[in-house]
Amino acid sequence: MCGIIGVTGSDDPFGLILDGLTLLEYRGYDSAGVALVTGRELWRRRSAIRGESIGELLRLGPTAPVARAGIGHTRWATHGAPTEHNAHPHVDCTGRVAVVHNGIIENHREIAAKLDAEGHTRTSETDSEVVAHLVEAELASGADLFEAVQRCAKVLRGDFALAFMSADEPEVLVATRRSSPLIVGRTDSIGLVSSDISAVLGTTRELYAIGDDEVAEVRPGSIRIVDAEGSTVDPVPLRVSWGVRAALREGYEDFMSKEIHEQPRALADTLVGRILPEGTTELEELEIPAEELASIGRVIVIACGSSYHAGLAGRAALESWAKVPCTVEIASEFRYRDPVIDASTLVLAISQSGETVDTFHALREAKRRGARTIVLTNVVDSLMAREADGVLYTRAGPEIGVASTKCHTAQIVLLQVFALHLALIRRQLTPEQAAVIGARIASLPGLVERAVGQFDTYRATAEQLAEVNDVFFLGRGHGYPVALEGALKLKELAYVRAEGYPAGEMKHGPISLIDRHAVVVVVATRGALFEKLLANIEEVRARGATVVVLCDEGDEEAGELADIVLEVPAVDEMVAAAVCVVPFQVLAYAIARARGNDVDRPRNLAKVVTVE
Ligand code: F6R
């Protein structure tokens, strides 16, 4: 979603901002813009050509004026269409103050009405523009930019990350945030603001977090941060775990195929040092003492999208190995219920980005109600990592493709490690049982590698399905979260209506949709419910559906019931999800590509979802 970058003290702020915006592209955007301070004037250019806005700005490079500072933005439209006049930066009536904004200003209508009555002229339909006019009013009453932003932030409701500059203070950037992420950085001569670590890594690794309601003043080579009361804050340095190279395509057709292929490595890295040969576990960043974990009465997993499916895939291990009651909840629903939580509840948020606003607020709410909290994320020191009591980091490297692949499988595997860890702390497994389970988890990178090795076979099979319009994905037990994930991937990438359903539930209604036009994909790898699943397959076959069966390699009994077969290496059902999901990733990828879709940036979607 929206991205922010600001630079001061550079000989080429335009170049640095455009490099940053290009790195932020993966978050998803539909327009972009830049403002520079040149002499004592503001120069601003914006573009809203879908998929080409950054390219259009780049072409302006040679005409950009000499400047030392600027701010840039990629916008994912929420309030107002993705047009040039709604693109950021927004300016005030004088054209001397510019602002870029991520998040939502909830009281923007109220503020706009007041500003309109005072005679301000707004030129966009966005919630963001009001902030420029608020600052204009404060400057007119004698404040400098820093003071003006301090005062203005106090009247804003909602989630925001904001960066400002003024033609009257050419080398100063001011930034503030509430809930939305924003960081600042410096070298000896440059100052930076960004919503995303990866956008500024090429310039510096000296980066600092801005806390909620803090205001930062960034000048060439220096940073000053004050809290909401105006007291100076010691900036908290961020740990940076990736290099810039990790975000390159390296010869693959697209990031998604690269990231599918990276799964064995992502899983192996996630497991390094965490499972010892005898089946004991090491989770050092967890930080919650073992005795506290031992006394946990139940676990509530909160997450969205693919991360939610990872939670469902890990639930069986938490219940069966650790014998802890576990529910898995959609974060955007959980947050607005009145959940019963006490100090013995462990709330485990799963979020690849560590920024998803629904999950972040659900996590905060759980903490407010007294739960112990852990976040399982791929981004070190991300917003949620800083919020939760403990952290579990997947080590999948940056995921650029909008559809989660390697982070999803790494989440599943790390959740299984956590379940084993909890089981050992709670003394629910014998050392022998733990050693067997540990060995099974440890074998997953190799098994996933074998599945990924069949990429071309899966792709060729999927191409037979390029014309599908409506697909059911069915599964039971371990196969159900995989079915949900298969359906989500097909929807988001191939734009095909797809539904994930528990196979045993079909007879309670949806089977009336099955006829000879239906395509039904069934996760039929071996497990306790295998026989029952075969009966469910017979039910849809009897109604003429085309049946695609995902089964263990060489499983003739399952294969015989299929029109199309996808095979994966056989694996114990408790840890099978990360292996079984691979062919479905390729299925969605191949159908999407066959239809000419952009697999890295599917329409309407963003990598980091920072709005509710
Ligand atoms: C689907 C996908 C999304 C994310 C969801 C949560 O492929 O990537 O469904 O899983 O938006 O994002 P995170 O995990 O960053 O909280």
Side-chain angles (χ1 to χ4, degrees):
M1 285 196 165
C2 305
I4 288 177
I5 173 131
V7 177
T8 181
S10 162
D11 293 336
D12 180 19
F14 185 85
L16 277 183
I17 290 169
L18 265 294
D19 285 351
L21 292 184
T22 306
L23 288 162
L24 291 175
E25 236 184 319
Y26 81 98
R27 296 167 69 102
Y29 81 104
D30 41 41
S31 57
V34 180
L36 303 175
V37 185
T38 163
R40 290 219 159 227
E41 298 299 325
L42 275 190
W43 175 91
R44 175 173 65 146
R45 293 293 181 275
R46 297 174 293 171
S47 168
I49 307 174
R50 182 175 150 77
E52 254 307 295
S53 304
I54 294 178
E56 200 193 7
L57 293 175
L58 276 169
R59 283 192 285 281
L60 290 174
T63 64
V66 174
R68 302 278 300 157
I71 52 179
H73 191 260
T74 45
R75 172 173 187 253
W76 189 86
T78 56
H79 293 61
T83 57
E84 194 175 317
H85 71 276
N86 284 332
H88 302 214
H90 289 289
V91 295
D92 67 331
C93 299
T94 68
R96 303 190 65 71
V97 175
V99 62
V100 287
H101 167 224
N102 290 357
I104 290 182
I105 309 293
E106 283 171 359
N107 55 340
H108 69 103
R109 282 193 194 82
E110 206 178 290
I111 298 172
K114 190 164 167 282
L115 289 167
D116 292 351
E118 287 167 5
H120 288 264
T121 308
R122 292 178 298 115
T123 56
S124 76
E125 291 100 54
T126 65
D127 56 329
S128 314
E129 190 191 338
V130 294
V131 186
H133 296 276
L134 278 180
V135 166
E136 174 192 356
E138 295 297 343
L139 292 173
S141 71
D144 64 15
L145 185 63
F146 187 77
E147 291 158 348
V149 172
Q150 277 182 305
R151 289 182 207 163
C152 150
K154 290 199 165 46
V155 302
L156 302 178
R157 285 205 312 269
D159 294 346
F160 51 80
L162 293 158
F164 301 82
M165 58 182 210
S166 157
D168 296 311
E169 295 173 60
E171 295 219 309
V172 179
L173 302 178
V174 178
T176 187
R177 62 167 283 266
R178 185 181 303 152
S179 298
S180 282
L182 198 64
I183 56 160
V184 287
R186 59 178 289 272
T187 66
D188 288 346
S189 56
I190 288 179
L192 295 152
V193 178
S194 179
S195 54
D196 191 312
I197 293 173
S198 59
V200 288
L201 269 189
T203 309
T204 186
R205 296 175 85 85
E206 189 180 335
L207 299 168
Y208 302 92
I210 307 177
D212 263 354
D213 291 310
E214 292 176 356
V215 181
E217 182 185 69
V218 180
R219 292 175 179 267
S222 78
I223 290 163
R224 169 168 74 107
I225 302 183
V226 303
D227 64 18
E229 281 71 50
S231 309
T232 302
V233 173
D234 274 341
V236 181
L238 293 172
R239 290 167 294 162
V240 181
S241 55
W242 305 326
V244 199
R245 281 192 55 76
L248 302 176
R249 216 155 20 91
E250 291 174 341
Y252 283 92
E253 285 173 85
D254 36 57
F255 280 108
M256 184 172 176
S257 59
K258 175 180 180 239
E259 287 159 5
I260 290 175
H261 283 91
E262 281 173 346
Q263 290 182 106
R265 171 103 321 262
L267 266 50
D269 287 350
T270 296
L271 288 174
V272 165
R274 285 173 162 167
I275 296 192
L276 308 180
E278 65 278 16
T280 54
T281 48
E282 288 274 353
L283 290 171
E284 54 186 37
E285 300 116 345
L286 202 50
E287 280 172 16
I288 302 182
E291 52 283 10
E292 260 184 59
L293 283 177
S295 63
I296 288 299
R298 67 183 173 130
V299 176
I300 302 177
V301 176
I302 48 171
C304 306
S306 292
S307 296
Y308 168 73
H309 299 155
L312 289 175
R315 176 172 61 187
L318 283 161
E319 290 179 340
S320 176
W321 302 340
K323 301 279 180 286
V324 62
C326 176
T327 51
V328 185
E329 309 227 17
I330 301 264
S332 54
E333 289 293 319
F334 175 84
R335 174 186 173 189
Y336 291 108
R337 290 215 325 271
D338 190 9
V340 180
I341 285 174
D342 59 24
S344 73
T345 308
L346 175 69
V347 170
L348 197 159
I350 305 182
S351 174
Q352 171 277 127
S353 60
E355 280 184 43
T356 302
V357 84
D358 290 319
T359 314
F360 173 70
H361 281 295
L363 176 70
R364 261 204 176 163
E365 183 56 22
K367 217 172 149 181
R368 197 183 65 76
R369 289 172 181 252
R372 296 298 271 154
T373 54
I374 293 178
V375 65
L376 191 158
T377 183
N378 194 45
V379 182
V380 174
D381 280 346
S382 53
L383 202 60
M384 284 185 232
R386 285 181 268 135
E387 183 77 18
D389 299 319
V391 190
L392 291 165
Y393 285 121
T394 48
R395 301 180 192 129
E399 190 175 69
I400 308 294
V402 162
S404 188
T405 51
K406 61 177 180 172
C407 283
H408 174 67
T409 45
Q411 286 168 343
I412 296 174
V413 171
L414 184 52
L415 196 51
Q416 287 159 353
V417 176
F418 177 65
L420 176 59
H421 186 72
L422 211 54
L424 290 166
I425 288 176
R426 293 163 67 86
R427 300 185 195 285
Q428 296 294 337
L429 293 173
T430 63
E432 295 71 30
Q433 288 169 323
V436 170
I437 291 171
R440 283 185 183 144
I441 298 175
S443 71
L444 286 171
L447 292 163
V448 166
E449 184 162 23
R450 279 174 52 198
V452 170
Q454 294 193 60
F455 185 94
D456 291 339
T457 312
Y458 297 148
R459 187 172 186 171
T461 308
E463 278 160 6
Q464 299 172 46
L465 295 166
E467 303 302 324
V468 289
N469 283 317
D470 212 336
V471 182
F472 266 105
F473 282 78
L474 304 182
R476 298 187 78 147
H478 71 277
Y480 174 49
V482 178
L484 290 176
E485 178 63 7
L488 178 63
K489 283 282 164 288
L490 197 61
K491 280 185 268 218
E492 66 176 331
L493 292 161
Y495 317 146
V496 169
R497 219 173 8 251
E499 196 163 353
Y501 225 78
E505 187 68 9
M506 286 294 281
K507 55 188 176 291
H508 298 293
I511 200 156
S512 60
L513 291 170
I514 304 295
D515 61 14
R516 66 190 172 78
H517 303 293
V519 176
V520 181
V521 183
V522 190
V523 186
T525 47
R526 296 263 169 171
L529 297 172
F530 181 69
E531 300 295 334
K532 295 192 188 303
L533 198 72
L534 294 187
N536 298 139
I537 299 177
E538 294 285 15
E539 286 158 13
V540 292
R541 264 168 61 88
R543 285 155 183 87
T546 300
V547 177
V548 182
V549 164
L550 171 70
C551 61
D552 293 336
E553 269 163 10
D555 189 333
E556 288 177 8
E557 203 180 350
E560 267 171 15
L561 298 181
D563 298 295
I564 297 173
V565 176
L566 294 164
E567 289 187 334
V568 285
V571 49
D572 180 82
E573 64 177 312
M574 289 298 291
V575 295
V579 181
C580 293
V581 82
V582 174
F584 289 173
Q585 295 169 343
V586 183
L587 194 76
Y589 170 85
I591 296 176
R593 286 215 43 135
R595 291 174 171 222
N597 299 353
D598 181 342
V599 289
D600 286 340
R601 284 182 292 164
R603 70 183 180 204
N604 303 337
L605 292 178
K607 181 71 185 162
V608 188
V609 185
T610 49
V611 295
E612 272 196 65

